[in-house]
Every structure is written in structure tokens, then in C-alpha cells.
Amino acid sequence: MKIVDAQVVVTSPGRNFVTLKITTDEGVTGLGDATLNGRELAVVSYLRDHVAPLLIGTDPHRIEDTWQYLYRGAYWRRGPVTMAAIAAVDVALWDIKAKVAGLPLYQLLGGASRERVRAYGHAGGWDLPSLFDSIRARRAEGYQAIRVQTGVPGLEKVYGVHRDAALARENATRLDQRPSPVVEDWDTAGYLRHIPRVFEAVREEFGPELPLLHDAHHRLTPIQAARLGEELEPYDLFWLEDCTPAENQEGLRLVRRHTRTPLAIGEIFTTVFDYQTLVGEQLIDYVRSAVTHFGGVTPLRKLFDYAAQYQIKSAIHGPEDISPVGMAAAIHLDLAIHNFGIQEFSGHTALTDEVFRHAYTFTDGHLHPGEEPGIGVELDEDLAAAHPYRPAYLPVNRLLDGTVHDW
Ligand SMILES: [Mg+2]
């Protein structure tokens, strides 16, 4: 079997998605997600101009060899553009291999280790009443674990939180429809004073059993993160996420010394090398990398196996800008690995689910990849073409004096 075509499809059914479609001489096709939110076209060029020509005529079954060829052969390795491009190839080849085998991908990864995979959803509100409404809405949708984000007194705009609760869900699907970055503001002192009171109120309202998560979104120094983790301990969080910009892996030693709140890190990491200190010294509890940004199923499986030696679990990044193709690949991996932790899942717009018809399902707060051969996603190319790319940016973050801050 030979690869005869590799096309890149860019579509924006509510937000931008980049998809690689590989076709073989036997007519089997495979899809891979290469979406890099806010920098989409860089990956499109990497794939179209530099990778697709190399794939033509090669054997799609040689997944490991193709991965190593693209990673080592380019000389310039790592980084989100490179790894998103390689991820798309890797997932498309796994899709092809599983279709040829007539099996859902999870069967090729060792088969199911559980019946279904638990997902967590996002709740957010500017104040407590709107936050409580949002948590109730997620529970009504079936979610059994919920990430809680809230406004901070004195600030105007905070990532992941909407002043108009009624628009919160809709806005989540439109985040990237901006011709220039929105500027959000930040005050760490006010945030640190406010957040423990929020979780105290949420626990009073919803009781001790509901798993609660919180994302600090890289905004704290190690000592600030240590304080927050310690002050949140009475509220028994499932995890505190991205408490610092963890490029400074050694900084997590300080956080770890001060708190038993579980820590989750890694959604912007692209290789195992970003985790060596964090995993090897057991400084975190969950690894958060996405199939889409970590080079695909092949290296992410290796990361999870490495983390498993230290009883560290998976928690694949799953915001709306991971396309249904990337989400499907993640759910197959979630079902197969032993050290599954939890899966982030926000769902997509109805239009996105029409462009990417998928076999995976969300029921009672849990996901299942379905039993279609391959990853179980079909791309409607005509509908995709009817919704072309639109320039878009993520927000940026500034302190109250105007200084650019971590986002
Ligand atoms: Mg996050």
C-alpha cells in the first residue's frame, strides 16, 4: 500500500480547524488534526509545503518509521508548529491502519481498559450566582466533574469567564473569531485573595463529593502557586492546573513542598523532554498534553507509559479548538491506556459536528470512541469548504499597570 495524496483542509465552522487527509492507492483515507489555535496557517504551510511531498509513495503502515523520519529528518525539531504537523500525519496513519484492520483504533492500542472515559466540563461565572448557574447547567448536561473559573473583583476581563452568563456557552465557540487579540487584565493579589472564598462557597452549595478542578493558566510564580495550593486544600480539588509557566520545571519542587493539592500541567508542552523533571521527580499528578500538539498518538502513548511508572495519570487537553478528529484520537487512547485520569471535553458547535461526523459519544458525563473502524470521523469536505478560514487570535493578558503577563 502506498500514499498517493495528502491534502490540508482548513475550515471555520465557528472556529478554525486544520485537518490533514491522507489517501492511499487502495482508496483508504485517514484524517489527522493539525489545529494550532491562533497560528493555524503556519502549520498549514509546514504540512503543505514541507511534509506532504515527502509522504507520496511511502507505506502508510510504517507509522513509527514515518514519525522518526519527520521528527529527526527535519533537523529542526520540537515546537508546536512542527509537532502539530507530525501529529496530523501520525493520527491519519493510525486511522488508515485501523480501517484496514477493520477495527476501532483503541483495539490496535491494546483494547479497552475500561467501559468508558470520564470527562470534565467547564463552568464559569463572573459572580457566585452566575457561577452556580453554570455549574448546575453542566451537571444537567451530565458532567460529573467540573472545572470552576470565576471573575476577580477589580478586573474587567478574565480568560474563561463571561460577564453575561447567557452568552457564556455561545461565546466559548466564538473565541477565535477576532481580527486582533482581545486584551484581558490581571491582578494576582486580588485573585489569590478571592479564589479560596469561591471554592469555599462552591463546596457549601454543591457538597463535598463533586470533583472540582481549577485552571490558574500559567499566571503565578512558584511561591504564589504554593500558597494557592495550600489554601485550596480544605476544598479537596481534583487538581490545580497550570499553576505556573512550567518551562521552569524546577519551580514545581517549591510548589510541591508546600501543598498536597494535586497538580496538572502540560497542555502547551510538545515533547517528553518538557516533562523529564516533572515526571521523574514526581512533581505533578496529571500530564495534560494533547494528541494534536504532542506529535500524535505514537509519542503521547510513550509519555503516558513513562508517567505510569510514577503513578502519574493522563488528562488530555480537550478545549473547543481540538477538532473532533483530535478529540476522537484522544478518546481511543483514553480508553486503551491503563493510567487514564480524566478527559477534558467541551463539545463543539452543531455545525462543527456536521463538518466532522464522528462516532464518539458523550453520555452521563462519559465519552466512548464508538466501534467504527479507524478513529471514527468522516470529513464533509463540501461543508468544510463552505466555511473558509477567518483570521483569528487568542487574547493577551496585561497587569493593571499595562505590563504583559503570562496568559
Ligand atoms: Mg488549561
Side-chain angles (χ1 to χ4, degrees):
M1 187 181 280
K2 302 286 185 204
I3 294 172
V4 295
D5 193 36
Q7 295 291 327
V8 183
V9 176
V10 187
T11 182
S12 188
R15 61 167 58 239
N16 293 315
F17 296 110
V18 177
T19 308
L20 177 68
K21 179 182 178 184
I22 292 178
T23 304
T24 74
D25 56 353
E26 296 180 14
V28 183
T29 60
L31 299 177
D33 178 24
T35 306
L36 188 62
N37 196 351
R39 296 293 187 271
E40 295 89 353
L41 299 186
V43 191
V44 172
S45 172
Y46 194 108
L47 281 168
R48 253 184 206 153
D49 299 331
H50 304 295
V51 172
L54 303 177
L55 298 175
I56 305 305
T58 64
D59 180 355
H61 282 306
R62 297 184 64 178
I63 297 175
E64 178 73 29
D65 181 70
T66 301
W67 195 95
Q68 300 293 346
Y69 179 84
L70 293 175
Y71 182 79
R72 297 174 193 278
Y75 187 65
W76 310 108
R77 57 187 71 181
R78 307 173 67 180
V81 175
T82 295
M83 300 311 287
I86 296 176
V89 175
D90 184 79
V91 170
L93 296 187
W94 276 112
D95 192 19
I96 288 170
K97 187 183 284 290
K99 283 180 179 173
V100 170
L103 293 168
L105 173 59
Y106 75 84
Q107 294 287 13
L108 272 58
L109 300 175
S113 286
R114 55 197 51 79
E115 298 299 316
R116 54 186 189 165
V117 300
R118 181 164 65 166
Y120 74 88
H122 296 179
W126 196 262
D127 52 22
L128 286 177
S130 60
L131 174 60
F132 290 178
D133 286 347
S134 180
I135 293 172
R136 289 188 192 99
R138 295 296 84 74
R139 296 183 89 189
E141 291 164 0
Y143 284 104
Q144 298 176 22
I146 296 175
R147 190 190 78 163
V148 171
Q149 305 297 118
T150 182
V152 175
L155 300 185
E156 288 298 318
K157 295 193 184 83
V158 174
Y159 168 73
V161 184
H162 303 274
R163 283 185 175 276
D164 185 339
L167 290 176
R169 278 300 269 182
E170 188 186 351
N171 281 355
T173 66
R174 300 191 309 200
L175 268 179
D176 73 348
Q177 300 298 333
R178 296 168 175 148
S180 63
V182 167
V183 180
E184 299 177 341
D185 48 8
W186 188 249
D187 170 33
T188 299
Y191 167 81
L192 289 174
R193 284 192 301 272
H194 186 60
I195 288 298
R197 304 289 73 77
V198 170
F199 276 89
E200 180 182 31
V202 170
R203 277 288 177 227
E204 277 181 21
E205 181 72 13
F206 294 96
E209 292 177 3
L210 179 65
L212 299 174
L213 304 81
H214 180 65
D215 188 350
H217 228 260
H218 320 275
R219 290 173 174 142
L220 306 178
T221 66
I223 195 65
Q224 291 167 343
R227 168 185 161 183
L228 181 62
E230 184 178 23
E231 292 188 1
L232 289 174
E233 283 180 21
Y235 313 114
D236 190 24
L237 266 60
F238 186 93
W239 77 39
L240 174 61
E241 174 181 346
D242 286 333
C243 60
T244 71
E247 293 98 317
N248 172 17
Q249 295 188 41
E250 293 81 2
L252 270 294
R253 293 179 188 141
L254 192 153
V255 182
R256 201 64 148 171
R257 275 202 297 275
H258 289 279
T259 182
R260 290 176 295 166
T261 294
L263 302 174
I265 280 180
E267 67 187 46
I268 63 170
F269 290 173
T270 58
T271 70
V272 69
F273 303 106
D274 302 315
Y275 284 103
Q276 281 181 319
T277 300
L278 295 175
V279 171
E281 296 188 21
Q282 304 180 69
L283 301 179
I284 58 174
D285 302 281
Y286 296 90
V287 294
R288 295 236 56 223
S289 289
V291 173
T292 303
H293 303 127
F294 200 78
V297 166
T298 298
L300 194 53
R301 175 66 187 258
K302 294 174 184 176
L303 171 67
F304 290 151
D305 287 345
Y306 170 47
Q309 313 314 310
Y310 301 93
Q311 296 166 284
I312 296 170
K313 294 189 174 183
S314 75
I316 297 179
H317 192 214
E320 297 89 343
D321 50 276
I322 299 289
S323 87
V325 174
M327 182 58 61
I331 300 167
H332 283 278
L333 195 49
D334 290 333
L335 196 71
I337 60 172
H338 177 256
N339 57 326
F340 169 75
I342 201 165
Q343 172 66 54
E344 184 179 26
F345 180 71
S346 298
H348 295 94
T349 63
L351 181 58
T352 300
D353 286 337
E354 274 185 66
V355 172
F356 299 94
R357 289 188 303 273
H358 54 79
Y360 66 77
T361 53
F362 175 72
T363 310
D364 296 332
H366 291 74
L367 292 154
H368 191 281
E371 300 296 339
E372 292 290 320
I375 62 170
V377 182
E378 293 297 323
L379 174 65
D380 185 331
E381 293 183 59
D382 292 335
L383 193 56
H387 300 278
Y389 170 78
R390 296 165 64 180
Y393 288 91
L394 288 161
V396 297
N397 201 23
R398 289 185 184 274
L399 303 179
L400 295 177
D401 72 355
T403 306
V404 170
H405 192 57
D406 290 297
W407 184 80

